[in-house]
Amino acid sequence: MTDIQKTELPKAYEPSQVEDKWYAFWMENRYFKPRIDSDKEPFTIIMPPPNVTGELHLGHALTATLEDIMTRWHRMMGEPTLWLPGVDHAGIAAQVVVERMLAKEKKTKYDLGREAFTARMWEWANSCRDTIRKQHMKLGASCDWDREVFTLDAGPSLAVRTTFKNLYDQGLIYRGERIINWCPRCHTAISDLEVDHKDLSGHLWHIKYPLVDDPDRFVTVATTRPETMLGDVAVAVHPDDERYKELVGKKLLLPIMNREIPIVADEIIDMTFGTGAVKTTPAHDQTDFDIAQRHGLPLVNIFNNDATLNNNAGKFAGMDRYAARKLVVEELVSLDLLALVQDYAHSVGHCQRCATVAEPTASRQWFVKMEPLAKPAIEAVTSGQIKILPERFNRVYLNWMENIRDWCVSRQLWWGHRIPVWYCRDCDETIVAIEAPAVCTKCKSTKIEQDPDVLDTWFSSGLWPHSTLGWPEETLDLGYFYPTSVMETGYDILFFWVVRMITMGLHNTGKVPFRTVYLHGLIRDEKGEKMSKVKGNVLNPLTLIDQYGTDALRFGITTGNSPGNDIKLSPIRLEAGRNFANKLWNASRFVIGYLDKSAPGAIDDAALPAEDRWILSRLSRTVSQATAYMQDFQFGEAERVLHDFIWGEFCDWYIELAKVRLQSNSGPSPLPVLLKVLDNSLRLLHPFMPFVTEELWQRLRPYLDNAPESIMIAAYPEADLAAIDESAEGFIEGLIEVIKSVRNVRAEHKVEAGRFIPAELHAGDLAGSLEAYKPIIETLSRARPLSIEADRFQGESDSERLVLVLKNAELVLPLAGMIDQQAESARAAKELAETESQVERLSAMLSNESFTAKAPEQVVAKERAKLEALEDKLKRLRGG
């Protein structure tokens, strides 16, 4: 017997006294490490890597809890189970954090230089990795920490370079000038998915462009950004628009810039919007860029990287974009070329990381051709190779994939995977290589320079399921644990991440990266609002753990939840988790207290009373239900079923029924059944609440046969179909109904807890069976004397008795026996006196003309209504 098993179980559960102890125990015994067994199919989850941008938040806590539930369950099911942890370098998000830190020191990354800045980033990333690891441990995450991976580690870095080169060699990566989203603050391209669109109030300016050969005639265009007209290269109209047919091919004079630009016809133009004529600025708009490509128009970029205007903007060069907008409008007014200004609300893209308004800009960047990669990824889902939960996201996924655009993967950052491309300064050769070349592959010059850009963070994250297991090397882990079993993540990054993992995984390995995608919802506050620092409703998971305990937090964020649905987290949910842990603790303390006094012995199936057969039957059904829910990924429902069984049936009823037998020492001992049900309950609950279940199970171990060293490696319970006993279930449910009914009547009539009330139970054919349970009914319902009759009662309730019609019996309760007449008389007299006093006071007030004349009419009416109600009550109290 271990030291813990020798000590008495404390009266109250203190999570802080057990959690760190058991986590250290699990780590020391290496329970989180799977053993490769070629005869068994493994269960594998690769952790969605948290960003090195600070601490974990509640979303991470939900991710960790759900994945730990799966991991612990599959481990208990006897499967080789790997939960591989990792951390993401976070690219732009992490760089923004460190740049803000430098700003407080009145420095920029340029003051440090690339090498020193990168060193500063590594210092920050390593501190975050340590914090994130410790926080996951506090949450009970049973990861194999020896396998922890960082996206910038040597293995993932090799996978990134290999993938880039392979895609380039296959013509799936190219460098070209395209419209990208540019963040003027972060000084980098960002993907469409990294742009948050916000509705802003602005204006729609209608600008007149004069015809070159007829300056008195104009074509009017409308724009929300008049400063971009400085980069216009054409005005486009629809070829079928009768208003402009004769003008197609003619020249307009671009106001302010005095540059001649053509009128072109293009079918993409919407004739019903605005004037039907659209200014074309191909360097700063995707649609305009497409028009320019079709018509061979030039690109005129008017912006610098910081969103000031460049030399292509003429006299506005060097100005901030918004300052230039104001001056452009003023000049158009002075030239009498501003036809109309309208208020206009429109959607404006902002950088997701820093909230700066992004600029659509034509830029030379690296792109991945997504359409060829998307086709097998679509097939993987439509064929059922990959199952997305909840299923409604199948449609969302397919719609996105079927309309996918090329992916801009280059970022103008210093932190991340450097693009594995080198340029020769002597012959302009472009060299794409997995390892850095010493010389130019074409002219052998040593004057080669690596591309300064880094790859989009999601490029390395897209390789995560296979790069973490050793790809491109043929490792033992990759051969055994890949494809992985489940990818669990939030539905909000389905496109950011899940899509890219599927496309890249299929392309690199020829296999799907995982078989199931489990998408969880967002954690919102108790009002259903999204948590944010601005609203002040953010909850720190570590603070909640200190307050409620880890198991209570895990319970609060998962119970009753289902895939894809948001969660409203309130103190009530967390308190419910803490209360459940305490309920389990107290029940276990009761059982273990009796086990310490008497050996439980074996269960004698032939001699089991009805309540024993009932709880064993209910246990078997609960195991079946919970297992089915676990297999169906309905973890919140499994947890709810376990809570209802453990609290509602085992603790509230079976233990109370067993107490009567234990205290009277009558009938067969319930200890063997108490031990079995408690053991099974703890094992069923362990994946959800690992700490309290380990602490209690360790106290139970001495009484269990062949028990392993830890509950986390004990077998998950299997349903015993032979234990299903519908007769016992029906009988005990009837017994419980009787006890509940008496308790409800007592509560309704406010009968003192210590006072017994008489009762008659008319149970027909069940009378004989119930007679044996008479002491139990009397004790648990506080009904004595209790007479159990073999007839069925035919009467109704009246002034002297209350008749309750139950499912298989009638319960008769004499009303006189529930009321202390002396106390009731005193209470009635007090209520009568108080009502008389209130009537007298209100009557006097309403008879006072000074009050009725000065008080507001609605106040007087309210007091009159109150008096009428009190007078009616007084009449009834006097028996009128």
Side-chain angles (χ1 to χ4, degrees):
M1 187 178 287
T2 63
D3 291 339
I4 184 175
Q5 292 158 355
K6 294 175 184 176
T7 60
E8 184 181 355
L9 199 61
K11 290 184 178 179
Y13 176 52
E14 295 291 343
S16 60
Q17 301 299 310
V18 306
E19 291 178 354
D20 290 346
K21 171 187 69 178
W22 288 119
Y23 200 90
F25 171 77
W26 296 329
M27 288 285 287
E28 288 165 8
N29 286 278
R30 301 173 70 79
Y31 292 142
F32 302 160
K33 292 193 70 62
R35 291 184 176 87
I36 293 177
D37 184 343
S38 58
D39 293 330
K40 292 183 178 180
E41 184 175 340
F43 178 81
T44 311
I45 287 186
I46 309 295
M47 176 188 289
N51 290 339
V52 286
T53 51
E55 298 182 337
L56 298 182
H57 52 64
L58 272 176
H60 293 121
L62 176 60
T63 294
T65 300
L66 288 169
E67 292 177 16
D68 194 48
I69 288 169
M70 290 186 243
T71 300
R72 289 178 183 271
W73 180 61
H74 282 277
R75 190 184 287 123
M76 294 178 78
M77 294 292 286
E79 301 167 26
T81 303
L82 172 62
W83 182 15
L84 193 151
V87 187
D88 198 306
H89 67 280
I92 188 171
Q95 183 161 319
V96 166
V97 170
V98 175
E99 285 188 272
R100 285 173 179 164
M101 293 165 60
L102 286 175
K104 292 179 181 178
E105 302 171 17
K106 298 185 177 178
K107 294 179 183 178
T108 69
K109 65 179 183 179
Y110 302 106
D111 294 326
L112 272 65
R114 186 162 191 157
E115 186 176 343
F117 178 76
T118 303
R120 183 76 174 261
M121 288 296 310
W122 271 105
E123 181 182 333
W124 167 255
N126 287 331
S127 68
C128 280
R129 287 181 66 181
D130 186 57
T131 299
I132 288 168
R133 185 184 306 112
K134 289 176 180 175
Q135 289 179 323
H136 270 123
M137 291 177 173
K138 285 294 290 182
L139 287 163
S142 57
C143 308
D144 184 351
W145 292 107
D146 292 340
R147 284 182 167 91
E148 184 186 6
V149 182
F150 185 45
T151 47
L152 291 180
D153 283 349
S157 294
L158 175 62
V160 164
R161 298 194 305 273
T162 303
T163 300
F164 189 97
K165 184 172 188 329
N166 290 346
L167 290 172
Y168 180 82
D169 291 344
Q170 294 157 9
L172 295 174
I173 278 187
Y174 64 94
R175 195 181 189 207
E177 192 166 33
R178 298 286 186 274
I179 292 291
I180 51 92
N181 303 292
W182 181 266
C183 176
R185 197 226 68 87
C186 299
H187 285 199
T188 183
I190 53 178
S191 73
D192 291 344
L193 294 174
E194 294 168 308
V195 176
D196 288 334
H197 289 274
K198 302 176 184 178
D199 289 333
L200 300 180
S201 297
H203 297 91
L204 194 61
W205 286 271
H206 294 251
I207 306 169
K208 298 187 292 184
Y209 287 29
L211 281 159
V212 170
D213 59 2
D214 189 357
D216 292 331
R217 292 183 66 190
F218 305 94
V219 172
T220 302
V221 300
T223 180
T224 59
R225 305 177 64 212
E227 71 279 6
T228 62
M229 67 168 290
L230 304 174
D232 282 1
V233 298
V235 167
V237 298
H238 195 280
D240 297 334
D241 196 328
E242 295 294 338
R243 293 170 294 180
Y244 303 111
K245 268 190 174 182
E246 62 170 303
L247 298 179
V248 173
K250 292 184 178 294
K251 300 281 187 178
L252 297 169
L253 188 65
L254 180 64
I256 301 176
M257 300 303 289
N258 295 319
R259 185 169 68 239
E260 292 187 9
I261 59 175
I263 299 174
V264 300
D266 198 286
E267 292 185 349
I268 200 170
I269 303 303
D270 181 358
M271 289 186 285
T272 65
F273 179 76
T275 64
V278 177
K279 62 187 288 297
T280 305
T281 320
H284 301 293
D285 181 90
Q286 181 62 56
T287 300
D288 295 358
F289 180 88
D290 294 340
I291 292 173
Q293 295 296 298
R294 287 192 288 271
H295 296 274
L297 300 171
L299 304 182
V300 179
N301 188 330
I302 63 168
F303 288 114
N304 294 312
N305 285 347
D306 60 358
T308 59
L309 275 68
N310 62 27
N311 291 334
N312 288 333
K315 59 187 176 183
F316 301 99
M319 290 186 183
D320 173 77
R321 52 184 165 173
Y322 300 117
R325 176 180 298 179
K326 182 180 179 183
L327 292 178
V328 166
V329 170
E330 289 177 359
E331 185 158 351
L332 289 170
V333 171
S334 69
L335 294 170
D336 195 26
L337 294 175
L338 192 62
L340 178 67
V341 180
Q342 296 175 298
D343 290 336
Y344 188 72
H346 60 125
S347 180
V348 178
H350 293 67
C351 174
Q352 189 181 70
R353 302 301 179 186
C354 69
T356 302
V357 174
E359 282 292 345
T361 302
S363 178
R364 192 164 174 76
Q365 302 283 346
W366 287 96
F367 294 86
V368 175
K369 290 182 181 178
M370 292 304 297
E371 188 177 351
L373 296 173
K375 289 180 180 178
I378 291 171
E379 170 67 17
V381 170
T382 56
S383 68
Q385 294 178 70
I386 296 176
K387 181 179 180 181
I388 299 178
L389 299 173
E391 290 185 0
R392 67 177 183 270
F393 281 99
N394 276 339
R395 185 173 62 254
V396 180
Y397 169 89
L398 293 173
N399 182 62
W400 173 264
M401 295 296 281
E402 288 163 359
N403 296 280
I404 201 163
R405 295 170 63 177
D406 287 357
W407 172 19
C408 175
V409 293
S410 46
R411 298 289 181 268
Q412 289 65 53
L413 303 172
W414 288 356
W415 175 243
H417 291 278
R418 192 86 172 261
I419 290 180
V421 174
W422 288 261
Y423 308 106
C424 179
R425 283 188 290 171
D426 285 340
C427 72
D428 293 331
E429 178 73 357
T430 297
I431 307 153
V432 179
I434 294 174
E435 303 298 341
V439 297
C440 172
T441 55
K442 183 177 181 181
C443 72
K444 307 306 178 185
S445 169
T446 58
K447 295 179 181 178
I448 55 175
E449 293 178 350
Q450 187 172 3
D451 193 305
D453 292 350
V454 299
L455 286 163
D456 179 9
T457 311
W458 299 105
F459 191 93
S460 54
S461 298
L463 314 178
W464 196 238
H466 55 284
S467 69
T468 51
L469 294 170
W471 188 92
E473 304 295 336
E474 291 294 333
T475 64
L476 189 62
D477 276 0
L478 184 68
Y480 186 66
F481 293 111
Y482 189 87
T484 66
S485 307
V486 178
M487 174 48 63
E488 188 282 332
T489 190
Y491 65 68
D492 53 331
I493 57 173
L494 175 62
F495 307 130
F496 280 104
W497 191 36
V498 176
V499 159
R500 284 155 181 170
M501 283 189 288
I502 295 174
T503 56
M504 302 294 245
L506 282 165
H507 185 266
N508 281 350
T509 72
K511 300 176 182 177
V512 294
F514 29 72
R515 297 182 179 89
T516 300
V517 177
Y518 179 108
L519 299 172
H520 67 246
L522 304 177
I523 297 185
R524 300 181 179 273
D525 69 11
E526 56 189 314
K527 297 178 182 177
E529 295 182 359
K530 193 172 182 179
M531 293 187 180
S532 72
K533 292 180 181 178
V534 174
K535 293 179 182 176
N537 60 353
V538 173
L539 298 174
N540 185 319
L542 294 187
T543 302
L544 298 177
I545 285 173
D546 289 341
Q547 187 175 357
Y548 297 98
T550 299
D551 291 324
L553 173 62
R554 290 167 61 117
F555 181 93
I557 61 178
T558 56
T559 301
N561 185 42
S562 58
N565 290 334
D566 292 349
I567 304 156
K568 292 181 183 178
L569 185 63
S570 66
I572 293 174
R573 288 179 70 104
L574 296 167
E575 287 164 7
R578 180 173 60 191
N579 293 342
F580 186 33
N582 288 332
K583 184 80 170 181
L584 184 66
W585 184 269
N586 291 332
S588 300
R589 190 169 181 271
F590 169 80
V591 174
I592 292 168
Y594 271 94
L595 289 171
D596 288 343
K597 299 173 187 174
S598 174
I603 294 177
D604 183 358
D605 292 332
L608 290 179
E611 65 267 33
D612 289 4
R613 289 183 281 115
W614 166 72
I615 197 64
L616 291 174
S617 181
R618 293 299 306 137
L619 172 64
S620 185
R621 290 189 194 274
T622 300
V623 172
S624 292
Q625 284 182 294
T627 301
Y629 278 132
M630 295 294 279
Q631 291 169 339
D632 199 34
F633 294 88
Q634 295 288 343
F635 308 117
E637 285 303 292
E639 200 167 5
R640 180 188 57 77
V641 164
L642 295 178
H643 170 272
D644 291 350
F645 170 75
I646 294 169
W647 187 312
E649 295 180 308
F650 180 56
C651 295
D652 278 358
W653 288 107
Y654 182 72
I655 286 180
E656 293 305 309
L657 293 168
K659 278 181 184 178
V660 177
R661 282 160 59 194
L662 287 167
Q663 291 165 359
S664 64
N665 201 24
S666 60
S669 171
L671 280 178
V673 175
L674 282 167
L675 175 61
K676 178 173 181 175
V677 177
L678 180 57
D679 166 40
N680 278 264
S681 296
L682 293 173
R683 285 188 281 135
L684 286 166
L685 195 59
H686 177 73
F688 304 95
M689 304 177 80
F691 292 109
V692 68
T693 52
E694 181 74 88
E695 176 74 13
L696 293 172
W697 197 77
Q698 289 291 343
R699 307 290 184 136
L700 212 60
R701 274 188 67 227
Y703 310 103
L704 301 172
D705 294 331
N706 303 314
E709 294 296 314
S710 170
I711 191 173
M712 71 173 291
I713 56 171
Y716 194 77
E718 294 183 15
D720 179 7
L721 298 181
I724 301 295
D725 191 326
E726 293 185 4
S727 173
E729 288 187 28
F731 178 74
I732 296 300
E733 284 169 9
L735 181 71
I736 290 172
E737 184 186 23
V738 171
I739 296 167
K740 276 186 175 180
S741 299
V742 177
R743 287 177 175 177
N744 289 341
V745 171
R746 290 175 61 95
E748 184 181 339
H749 289 80
K750 298 181 176 62
V751 178
E752 298 91 333
R755 195 155 66 83
F756 283 84
I757 61 172
E760 296 175 18
L761 185 61
H762 297 260
D765 295 340
L766 291 175
S769 301
L770 286 170
E771 189 67 38
Y773 286 86
K774 184 174 178 180
I776 288 176
I777 298 173
E778 289 181 331
T779 301
L780 297 183
S781 66
R782 311 293 287 175
R784 187 183 297 150
L786 170 68
S787 63
I788 300 177
E789 309 294 339
D791 64 343
R792 303 305 296 265
F793 192 78
Q794 302 299 320
E796 297 179 354
S797 297
D798 53 34
S799 60
E800 295 183 357
R801 66 192 175 193
L802 186 65
V803 178
L804 301 177
V805 179
L806 308 182
K807 187 175 181 180
N808 294 306
E810 292 79 43
L811 182 63
V812 182
L813 301 171
L815 289 173
M818 285 186 280
I819 300 171
D820 183 328
Q821 293 294 347
Q822 187 175 355
E824 178 63 16
S825 296
R827 185 201 62 76
K830 182 180 179 182
E831 186 177 9
L832 177 63
E834 287 177 352
T835 306
E836 287 175 337
S837 176
Q838 288 176 306
V839 168
E840 186 177 341
R841 181 184 63 79
L842 273 177
S843 297
M845 185 172 69
L846 291 169
S847 300
N848 187 340
E849 291 185 6
S850 177
F851 169 74
T852 55
K854 293 179 181 178
E857 186 178 337
Q858 62 268 29
V859 172
V860 175
K862 183 178 180 181
E863 296 302 322
R864 289 193 191 283
K866 190 186 296 183
L867 176 61
E868 286 181 20
L870 285 168
E871 286 175 335
D872 179 66
K873 180 180 179 181
L874 183 61
K875 182 179 179 181
R876 286 185 283 108
L877 286 173
R878 287 171 174 168

